[in-house]
Amino acid sequence: MSKRVILCAAMMMAATLGINAQKPINAPKGGKAISDELIGIFFEDISSSADGGLYAELVQNGSFEYNPSERDGWGPATAWKIVRPGHSLGMLEIRMTDGLNANNPTYMRLHAERTKEFYDYRGWRGYGIENGGFDGISVKAGEKYDFSAFMRNIGNAKQIRIALIEQQQGWPPRNPKLLADAIIDVKDNAWKKYSAVLTPDSTTSNAVLQILVLNDGDLDIDMISLMPQDTYKGHGLRKDLAQALADLHPKFMRFPGGCVVHGGGDGFWDTYRWKTTIGPKEQRKGLKNTWGYHQSMGLGYFEYFQFCEDLGMQPLPILPCGVNCQGTNGGWGMYPTQAQDACPMSEIDEWAQDALDLIEWANGDPATSKWAKMRADAGHPAPFNLKYLGLGNEEKISPEFEERFTYIYKKVMEKYPDIVIVGTAGPGSHPGNSDLENGWRIATDLGMPIIDEHYYEPNKYFLSSRQYNYYPRDRKTKVYLGEYAAKDKKLIDALAEGLYLLHVEQNGDIVSMTSYAPLFAKKTNTNWNPDLIYFDNDRPYLTCSYYIQQIFGQSAGQYYYGDCVTIENPDVAPRWQGLPEGQESGYLQGQSVVLNVKTRQLFVKLCNAGDKAKKANIDLSRFKGIKTAVKTTLTGQPNDENNYEQAPIVPKKETIKMKNKMTFDLEPYSFVMLEIAL
């Protein structure tokens, strides 16, 4: 291939990615170096974000491992019901002897009787089970869905009918509408995986999956799955939800939590351990979710890392440190002084080894590392190039935590000094908080590169606080604002967050990473409000805050210019009652100018969270070649919000002419970004 052809191909690829294919430019004087990884995402399996959400599996409790320890009234048959078209007879038996493996011991035995002789109406006969998925199964006409299950025949050979049907409404009950079906012959008397492809002829949100034994006798079944073939990049994630995350342009993803990491109140057995989430799906160990439901681990560490690669994000896995959540035994409420559960120091090497083995699994050579070989066997021989590793999640910074964290930190640094460890500053990262102070003391003593701060506050906090203006400038440790959000989802809350992110950009030499939380919530199972993206089985619903995050994700850069924009007569924000003495309140208007030297883009961002129009004087004289800009505007009434019924707040784009010096009118309750190609 000629150099000219290679260059043309590279330019076409760059155009496809929406970047400038020219060489990087030099930053004009006056800019402050900031992090270009400022906007990321934080995924925690809360509010059914994984099973029934981002993980595209359509069958609920396909492994029959639900149990009452996860939710009162739950059991192996939860989400299943008996079906016997043609008035066949039978019995279900829950069994745990001679199952698939120790991690997945529970299975169902179907004992079928009178499957043929009594009644056969239009082909509907047999005895079996039915699953309605997560509040119904949504399927699309003409698309393909992969069914699979492990089955074991007992006695005579069986025919098994797999059917997708649409539930019919009304009374009396009518014969179900068949969408797709397949027949599977089961003869083996040992566990074997069977599969079929179902292609429904109609689109519906009200489908169910039926598995019918067509011959009398016994059949064992486990690990039932129905997955759409059309998933995000073919990697098993729901396409529309994954695309919503891709559209945020995140630079990293923190996972799997959150309080999911260290258990929410049941002891160490409920702690998330990454090693039980890799390997074949049928060998993974399901776990009670901190938020009161079951985690199948179909979305495990391999899928998390793969998704990070698909989106070009840095993976930021968070590991527990041998200290349980302070919420254990009612620590959040009834007994707030309850001590944390901490593993004996004689057992801490197990937790440290988990961290070392994870790095080896992610980055090691399959030829020399058993953990790296497991990664290769799963289909990824190349390393994932793990850079960041988080230890702990907003634990109370107790002496027990400090001792265990410090031990693991030193073990990792001794063997992998290039890994960037992210520590924790406890659950409430405001000045004067003892956990924040102790977290920073530990970070300083250890020379830790990054510390994770968390806070959720009313929008008044984000409108008025300028917390990072008052942080010491000589600290070596940078800030990762890992969880934050205003406590509502109206436009004014999103603008408050946007105003605060402008403050964070101004302090981008101190704050290197941020991620809004929580990320997802299912409409029918929401544990926490607000969330960035709500969804049902058919579509995502994007909040006002989502679009603010998207604007900042699109405008990453390496240099900040604070003297290019002046807003006339800015309004002082109402002082948040928790603002420390000596800290001035911020303004209801804000601005930033960020340069990306790699993509040759200049971003001017302006926020007006007040009720009066303002004028912004823009002077971009130090930048050459300015002619036009793509203007993105997010505006509306302060109490507007996007919900399941309507979405009045969406960004509007237009191309405008630009001058090096100009006055810009800023509407009330608006956020504007000007994207300029240099």
Side-chain angles (χ1 to χ4, degrees):
M1 185 181 289
S2 71
K3 291 183 178 179
R4 182 177 179 182
V5 171
I6 293 173
L7 177 61
C8 290
M11 293 178 68
M12 288 175 64
M13 181 177 293
T16 301
L17 295 174
I19 61 175
N20 194 314
Q22 300 179 63
K23 294 189 299 183
I25 59 174
N26 295 321
K29 292 182 179 180
K32 177 168 64 175
I34 64 171
S35 168
D36 61 2
E37 294 183 334
L38 195 60
I39 302 298
I41 55 177
F42 161 45
F43 183 91
E44 178 172 14
D45 189 359
I46 182 174
S47 303
S48 295
S49 295
D51 294 334
L54 184 61
Y55 182 46
E57 175 61 61
L58 297 173
V59 171
Q60 183 177 182
N61 192 22
S63 63
F64 305 107
E65 298 295 339
Y66 281 25
N67 64 74
S69 70
E70 298 170 325
R71 184 172 290 181
D72 287 343
W74 271 18
T78 296
W80 294 95
K81 71 177 186 178
I82 294 171
V83 286
R84 49 190 195 94
H87 299 286
S88 57
L89 300 177
M91 179 184 72
L92 297 182
E93 182 183 356
I94 298 165
R95 296 175 64 93
M96 297 185 69
T97 56
D98 196 21
L100 277 175
N101 52 64
N103 286 341
N104 184 22
T106 311
Y107 62 95
M108 194 73 74
R109 174 164 291 182
L110 281 65
H111 175 73
E113 299 178 9
R114 206 164 66 179
T115 56
K116 289 185 178 180
E117 294 84 355
F118 185 67
Y119 189 56
D120 186 347
Y121 178 65
R122 296 183 183 175
W124 286 103
R125 63 178 180 83
Y127 176 84
I129 51 178
E130 175 182 291
N131 192 284
F134 300 88
D135 306 308
I137 295 176
S138 289
V139 295
K140 296 179 181 178
E143 296 200 359
K144 297 182 184 300
Y145 297 83
D146 290 328
F147 168 86
S148 66
F150 282 83
M151 290 185 270
R152 178 172 59 189
N153 182 52
I154 310 295
N156 58 297
K158 309 288 190 309
Q159 279 197 324
I160 312 300
R161 186 183 193 190
I162 312 302
L164 267 175
I165 66 170
E166 183 176 13
Q167 293 177 316
Q168 301 295 298
Q169 305 299 319
W171 185 261
R174 291 172 287 163
N175 200 47
K177 178 182 178 183
L178 178 64
L179 303 172
D181 69 341
I183 300 293
I184 296 176
D185 293 317
V186 180
K187 300 177 182 179
D188 291 84
N189 59 4
W191 286 111
K192 180 180 176 181
K193 188 174 182 178
Y194 295 85
S195 60
V197 176
L198 301 177
T199 307
D201 59 10
S202 301
T203 296
T204 181
S205 299
N206 200 34
V208 296
L209 176 71
Q210 289 189 350
I211 301 166
L212 297 167
V213 181
L214 302 183
N215 311 88
D216 292 357
D218 291 348
L219 178 87
D220 294 335
I221 189 165
D222 201 359
M223 287 302 296
I224 301 167
S225 172
L226 184 69
M227 287 280 285
Q229 287 188 2
D230 187 19
T231 60
Y232 191 76
K233 297 196 175 183
H235 289 155
L237 301 186
R238 188 173 139 180
K239 207 169 180 180
D240 57 347
L241 297 186
Q243 188 61 53
L245 298 184
D247 291 343
L248 288 169
H249 300 268
K251 302 303 183 291
F252 65 89
M253 183 172 80
R254 173 181 175 233
F255 61 89
C259 289
V260 163
V261 167
H262 51 201
D266 293 301
F268 285 117
W269 71 268
D270 192 24
T271 301
Y272 194 106
R273 308 301 289 269
W274 73 269
K275 291 177 180 177
T276 65
T277 77
I278 60 173
K281 300 287 178 78
E282 68 274 10
Q283 295 178 15
R284 300 182 186 183
K285 186 176 182 179
L287 185 69
K288 176 186 176 181
N289 182 282
T290 293
W291 303 103
Y293 52 91
H294 182 83
Q295 293 172 279
S296 73
M297 300 305 177
L299 176 56
Y301 258 56
F302 183 85
E303 289 76 21
Y304 283 128
F305 273 81
Q306 191 174 56
F307 186 50
C308 288
E309 187 173 77
D310 287 343
L311 263 63
M313 305 181 287
Q314 289 283 353
L316 174 48
I318 310 296
L319 296 183
C321 294
V323 179
N324 207 246
C325 178
Q326 55 265 29
T328 300
N329 302 320
W332 288 117
M334 187 178 298
Y335 308 108
T337 59
Q338 172 71 40
Q340 294 164 309
D341 288 337
C343 75
M345 283 301 292
S346 60
E347 299 175 7
I348 192 62
D349 278 326
E350 175 190 339
W351 302 81
Q353 195 62 47
D354 273 359
L356 299 175
D357 291 344
L358 175 61
I359 297 168
E360 196 63 32
W361 176 82
N363 293 351
D365 182 353
T368 58
S369 165
K370 75 168 187 176
W371 291 106
K373 185 178 184 303
M374 291 179 68
R375 182 196 72 231
D377 290 345
H380 202 285
F384 280 117
N385 300 316
L386 176 67
K387 173 182 175 182
Y388 295 109
L389 176 64
L391 296 177
N393 167 72
E394 66 173 35
E395 289 90 351
K396 182 173 179 59
I397 312 299
S398 63
E400 293 84 2
F401 172 81
E402 181 174 355
E403 183 179 20
R404 287 150 184 79
F405 174 89
T406 301
Y407 184 90
I408 297 174
Y409 179 90
K410 289 181 177 179
K411 282 284 187 180
V412 173
M413 287 293 92
E414 180 183 348
K415 189 170 183 180
Y416 300 104
D418 293 333
I419 290 293
V420 179
I421 297 293
V422 179
T424 179
S429 303
H430 292 309
N433 182 289
S434 62
D435 290 322
L436 178 67
E437 293 173 355
N438 286 327
W440 272 102
R441 174 182 53 77
I442 296 169
T444 303
D445 290 346
L446 294 175
M448 196 187 308
I450 304 177
I451 192 168
D452 182 9
E453 297 187 347
H454 296 178
Y455 38 87
Y456 299 92
E457 298 293 347
N459 62 45
K460 289 182 180 178
Y461 166 78
F462 294 100
L463 290 171
S464 66
S465 173
R466 298 296 175 262
Q467 179 169 331
Y468 297 114
N469 287 347
Y470 300 91
Y471 271 43
R473 316 308 289 190
D474 59 350
R475 283 173 169 167
K476 293 182 179 179
T477 304
K478 303 299 182 184
V479 174
Y480 167 34
L481 179 50
E483 294 185 34
Y484 75 97
K487 291 185 174 180
D488 208 341
K489 51 184 180 292
K490 297 179 172 59
L491 175 61
I492 188 59
D493 301 289
L495 293 175
E497 293 157 357
L499 200 58
Y500 195 72
L501 282 174
L502 294 176
H503 157 67
V504 168
E505 277 189 333
Q506 179 187 350
N507 291 279
D509 54 333
I510 291 175
V511 184
S512 61
M513 308 163 80
T514 70
S515 51
Y516 182 104
L519 185 62
F520 280 125
K522 189 159 193 177
K523 179 180 179 181
T524 53
N525 189 32
T526 298
N527 299 106
W528 186 287
N529 275 302
D531 304 276
L532 197 66
I533 301 168
Y534 293 81
F535 65 92
D536 57 23
N537 287 344
D538 297 305
R539 56 162 290 189
Y541 298 84
L542 309 178
T543 62
C544 304
S545 294
Y546 172 90
Y547 292 116
I548 290 293
Q549 292 291 318
Q550 185 182 66
I551 286 171
F552 278 87
Q554 292 171 339
S555 57
Q558 300 81 30
Y559 292 92
Y560 170 86
Y561 294 84
D563 59 351
C564 294
V565 179
T566 303
I567 296 176
E568 297 179 3
N569 302 314
D571 300 317
V572 177
R575 187 178 179 86
W576 178 60
Q577 62 182 5
L579 209 60
E581 293 272 341
Q583 288 195 17
E584 296 179 5
S585 182
Y587 293 96
L588 292 179
Q589 291 78 35
Q591 56 84 25
S592 79
V593 176
V594 171
L595 173 66
N596 191 318
V597 297
K598 299 175 184 177
T599 61
R600 302 174 65 98
Q601 290 172 294
L602 185 67
F603 301 98
V604 180
K605 294 192 284 289
L606 308 165
C607 181
N608 183 1
D611 60 358
K612 301 179 183 65
K614 297 290 178 179
K615 290 188 179 296
N617 298 313
I618 301 175
D619 184 351
L620 304 176
S621 300
R622 71 189 75 183
F623 305 100
K624 307 303 179 185
I626 294 176
K627 296 180 181 178
T628 62
V630 176
K631 176 186 174 187
T632 302
T633 304
L634 196 71
T635 189
Q637 296 303 309
N639 291 322
D640 286 348
E641 65 176 78
N642 296 341
N643 52 44
Y644 297 103
E645 286 74 39
Q646 56 182 352
I649 307 298
V650 294
K652 295 182 175 131
K653 289 183 178 286
E654 59 180 317
T655 300
I656 63 171
K657 293 182 179 180
M658 287 288 295
K659 298 179 182 178
N660 287 76
K661 291 185 179 182
M662 60 185 296
T663 299
F664 192 90
D665 293 323
L666 197 55
E667 300 175 50
Y669 302 115
S670 67
F671 197 102
V672 174
M673 178 174 72
L674 305 175
E675 179 184 345
I676 303 164
L678 299 178

